[in-house]
């Protein structure tokens, strides 16, 4: 069997859904297929905004209605018969969402992330319901499956951790029988706790969901359908000359994702690598184009990969008494970072200071300063960029650093990183 994952762009409007149905039909119905879908277009961002309004005690009515109208416009185009059951399902989901939002009004800050998952998860529920009905109407028999009942997680809201044993057992128990009859449509990004609450697996987590299903079902391949024909060595919106990798190994792909290449969700690779399931990154705009295959394969020389992270912040800590930064100091700093979920993108130690580069988050940064300012003198710069070149050479370094002010630089045998203004 195969798993197909369709991201937000591949379900963003009526045309995109027609295209999706065509890609699925082109499989000829000969193979077992499970589809994992993301929320439509930018729905997740839109729902985040709705939720922010709600928790700020502001009126969310207009923002919610915009999202409703967006989905309704797509459905109107795809289902001319206004009696179609999709309309009832859609209204029911929006009514439920409205209720959840109402309940989140003025809730305590401690429940913020929990509430976020209950709200933002509606994006995938909506899109999967629409995809399910639309394919059915196109003559593609399919069952709608609630992924929250299969991907069981703990309650680390917004970044839930999967209970693999449980998840694998129920997927193996229930889904093969369905797949032998018809195709499955399910949601990416979502999980569920053992007491029936919804969790999410982290932004862009649908790739990971697809990998979980592929792993548990021993798929012969996972196909991620994107708006680019495979993995490129740089973002074509930023770099003029990009090349496509025809094949990459799992390790290389994970590293690129780690450094921030917005290619594949980093957690996606491990389950696939564990069972040597190849991952194909294909273009839904040009489905027959070759794309990139990620598998067990090694290469001597790969084109340098350029990865840019914007909106970075460089924070330097020095001990107030001019002593050296000790392991004990580092322990204190790491603890505070971990508590605040501030991820270190790059770090460097010198005689009297320790510096980290992290994604800029004003609120968390100020909490960090509050926590550590008694013990350390702290300086920081914002609005920086972090460039990473994997498999660098001199030429690629020059290309990146030309004309920039460098605040921190690091290189290993394979990777060059620099924080610039
Ligand atoms: N819809 C979610 C997001 O935008 C998950 C995904 O698309 O992968 O982050
Ligand atoms: Mg997405």
């Amino acid at each position: 069997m195969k798993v197909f994952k369709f991201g937000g762009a591949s379900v963003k409007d009526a045309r995109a859904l027609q295209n999706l149905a065509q890609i699925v039909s082109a499989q000829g119905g000969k193979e077992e297929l499970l589809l994992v879908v993301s929320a439509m277009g930018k729905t997740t961002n839109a729902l985040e905004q709705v939720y922010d309004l709600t928790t700020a005690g502001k009126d969310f009515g207009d923002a919610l209605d915009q999202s409703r109208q967006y989905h309704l416009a797509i459905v109107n185009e795809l289902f001319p018969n206004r009696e179609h059951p999709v309309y009832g399902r859609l209204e029911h989901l929006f009514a439920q969402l409205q209720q959840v939002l109402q309940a989140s009004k003025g809730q305590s800050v401690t429940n913020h992330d929990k509430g976020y998952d209950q709200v933002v998860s509606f994006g995938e529920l909506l899109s999967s319901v629409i995809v399910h009905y639309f394919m059915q109407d196109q003559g593609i028999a399919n069952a709608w499956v609630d992924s929250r009942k299969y991907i069981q997680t703990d309650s680390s809201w917004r970044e839930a951790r999967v209970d693999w044993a449980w998840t694998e057992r129920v997927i193996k128990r229930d889904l093969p029988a369905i797949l032998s009859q018809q195709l499955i449509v399910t949601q990416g990004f979502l999980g569920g706790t053992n007491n029936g609450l919804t969790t999410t697996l982290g932004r862009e987590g649908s790739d990971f969901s697809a990998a979980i299903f592929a792993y548990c079902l021993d798929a012969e391949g996972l196909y991620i359908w994107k708006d680019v024909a495979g993995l490129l060595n740089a973002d074509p919106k930023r770099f003029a000359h990009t090349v496509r990798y025809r094949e990459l190994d799992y390790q290389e792909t994970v590293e690129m994702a780690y450094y921030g290449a917005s290619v594949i969700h980093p957690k996606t690779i491990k389950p696939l690598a564990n069972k040597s399931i190849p991952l194909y990154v294909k273009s839904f705009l040009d489905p027959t184009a070759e794309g990139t295959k990620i598998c067990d394969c090694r290469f001597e020389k790969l084109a340098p990969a350029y990865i840019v992270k914007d909106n970075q912040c460089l924070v330097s800590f020095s001990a107030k008494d001019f002593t050296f930064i000790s392991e004990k100091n580092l322990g204190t700093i790491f603890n505070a970072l971990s508590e605040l979920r501030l991820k270190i993108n790059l770090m460097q130690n010198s005689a009297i200071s320790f510096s980290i580069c992290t994604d800029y988050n004003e609120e968390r940064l100020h909490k960090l300063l509050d926590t550590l300012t008694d013990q350390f003198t702290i300086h920081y710069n914002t609005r920086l960029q972090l460039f990473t070149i994997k498999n660098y050479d001199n030429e690629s370094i020059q290309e990146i650093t030309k004309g920039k002010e460098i605040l921190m630089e690091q290189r290993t045998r394979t990777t060059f990183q620099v924080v610039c203004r």
Side-chain angles (χ1 to χ4, degrees):
M1 63 89 51
K2 290 175 178 166
V3 175
F4 279 11
K5 182 261 175 174
F6 288 96
S10 62
V11 288
K12 72 172 197 279
D13 54 26
R15 278 236 339 252
L17 267 103
Q18 282 155 347
N19 182 53
L20 179 156
Q22 251 164 36
I23 291 175
V24 173
S25 303
Q27 298 302 304
K30 287 191 289 289
E31 260 169 316
E32 295 185 358
L33 198 56
L34 179 138
L35 305 193
V36 171
V37 298
S38 293
M40 297 177 136
K42 302 270 175 248
T43 297
T44 307
N45 292 350
L47 292 177
E48 280 187 345
Q49 277 167 19
V50 173
Y51 185 60
D52 283 347
L53 288 171
T54 314
T55 52
K58 296 193 184 125
D59 178 36
F60 60 79
D62 287 349
L64 179 62
D65 199 50
Q66 256 179 36
S67 183
R68 189 173 155 272
Q69 293 307 336
Y70 164 67
H71 286 88
L72 211 55
I74 296 174
V75 170
N76 281 334
E77 222 177 308
L78 295 174
F79 305 88
N81 170 14
R82 297 297 138 96
E83 305 294 312
H84 195 289
V86 72
Y87 287 96
R89 283 286 291 277
L90 215 65
E91 288 311 334
H92 182 68
L93 284 169
F94 272 104
Q96 271 184 316
L97 174 55
Q98 173 103 27
Q99 263 175 21
V100 175
L101 286 165
Q102 211 66 43
S104 324
K105 260 188 167 169
Q107 79 188 348
S108 68
V109 199
T110 41
N111 278 333
H112 184 274
D113 289 350
K114 179 178 174 184
Y116 171 100
D117 283 356
Q118 311 318 305
V119 169
V120 166
S121 49
F122 275 85
E124 270 69 15
L125 295 174
L126 289 159
S127 68
S128 61
V129 162
I130 299 172
V131 169
H132 159 70
Y133 280 116
F134 180 62
M135 289 210 304
Q136 208 168 56
D137 282 13
Q138 301 297 300
I140 306 170
N142 72 96
W144 183 86
V145 162
D146 188 338
S147 63
R148 298 171 298 179
K149 297 204 164 68
Y150 290 94
I151 298 186
Q152 192 171 112
T153 70
D154 68 359
S155 50
S156 317
W157 313 109
R158 301 180 75 156
E159 208 155 343
R161 279 185 287 264
V162 175
D163 177 341
W164 280 93
W166 199 96
T167 300
E168 188 170 9
R169 187 159 40 80
V170 286
I171 288 181
K172 280 209 159 90
R173 184 191 66 196
D174 295 355
L175 301 190
I178 306 177
L179 285 165
S180 68
Q181 301 293 320
Q182 56 188 326
L183 195 141
I184 287 179
V185 174
T186 192
Q187 309 78 37
F189 187 45
L190 312 187
T193 63
N194 58 10
N195 55 355
L197 285 168
T198 304
T199 53
T200 61
L201 305 175
R203 285 303 308 265
E204 305 301 327
S206 294
D207 292 345
F208 181 39
S209 304
I212 296 170
F213 283 108
Y215 176 91
C216 296
L217 291 164
D218 297 305
E220 74 183 64
L222 166 58
Y223 292 72
I224 294 186
W225 297 90
K226 294 172 78 81
D227 54 4
V228 284
L231 299 189
L232 306 179
N233 72 328
D235 180 352
K237 287 182 205 117
R238 289 175 183 266
F239 292 86
H241 307 289
T242 55
V243 293
R244 172 177 59 91
Y245 297 112
R246 292 185 59 191
E247 287 192 344
L248 280 176
D249 66 76
Y250 295 117
Q251 181 70 33
E252 192 75 31
T253 314
V254 172
E255 288 177 22
M256 284 184 196
Y258 171 82
Y259 293 122
S262 62
V263 282
I264 304 288
H265 190 283
K267 285 183 184 161
T268 312
I269 300 299
K270 181 146 188 293
L272 300 177
N274 280 352
K275 287 198 179 171
S276 298
I277 300 170
L279 166 61
Y280 301 87
V281 181
K282 305 263 290 173
S283 164
F284 61 80
L285 301 168
D286 188 5
T288 54
E290 188 183 35
T292 298
K293 180 179 180 187
I294 295 147
C295 52
D296 275 325
C297 43
R298 270 267 151 216
F299 296 96
E300 283 307 303
K301 180 131 181 61
L302 284 165
Y306 300 86
I307 302 146
V308 191
K309 273 186 187 243
D310 291 318
N311 201 19
Q312 297 295 295
C313 170
L314 191 64
V315 192
S316 301
F317 307 86
S318 36
K320 287 221 154 141
D321 52 6
F322 290 100
T323 53
F324 299 142
I325 290 278
S326 68
E327 283 69 18
K328 195 150 176 278
N329 293 147
L330 291 176
T332 309
I333 295 167
F334 283 136
N335 254 330
L337 291 168
S338 153
E339 290 286 310
L340 292 165
R341 293 207 209 175
L342 277 166
K343 293 203 171 96
I344 299 172
N345 296 331
L346 195 66
M347 61 183 177
Q348 214 161 62
N349 201 14
S350 70
I352 53 154
S353 82
F354 173 68
S355 305
I356 61 153
C357 174
T358 174
D359 294 350
Y360 178 60
N361 175 313
E362 191 179 354
E363 192 194 327
R364 291 186 193 180
L365 178 65
H366 283 117
K367 280 195 186 139
L368 181 73
L369 300 182
D370 287 347
T371 314
L372 296 176
T373 196
D374 285 348
Q375 297 169 65
F376 301 95
T377 305
I378 307 173
H379 295 287
Y380 68 92
N381 289 294
T382 58
R383 294 167 198 255
L384 307 177
Q385 282 183 311
L386 169 62
F387 291 92
T388 302
I389 314 174
K390 275 217 79 212
N391 312 312
Y392 65 88
D393 51 21
N394 285 337
E395 209 179 307
S396 53
I397 291 178
Q398 270 181 9
E399 189 182 335
I400 287 298
T401 52
K402 201 170 44 196
K404 299 207 177 77
E405 181 192 347
I406 296 176
L407 284 86
M408 183 152 103
E409 185 183 312
Q410 227 170 68
R411 71 174 89 184
T412 67
R413 264 175 303 168
T414 57
T415 310
F416 175 83
Q417 291 189 287
V418 65
V419 181
C420 301
R421 188 164 7 219

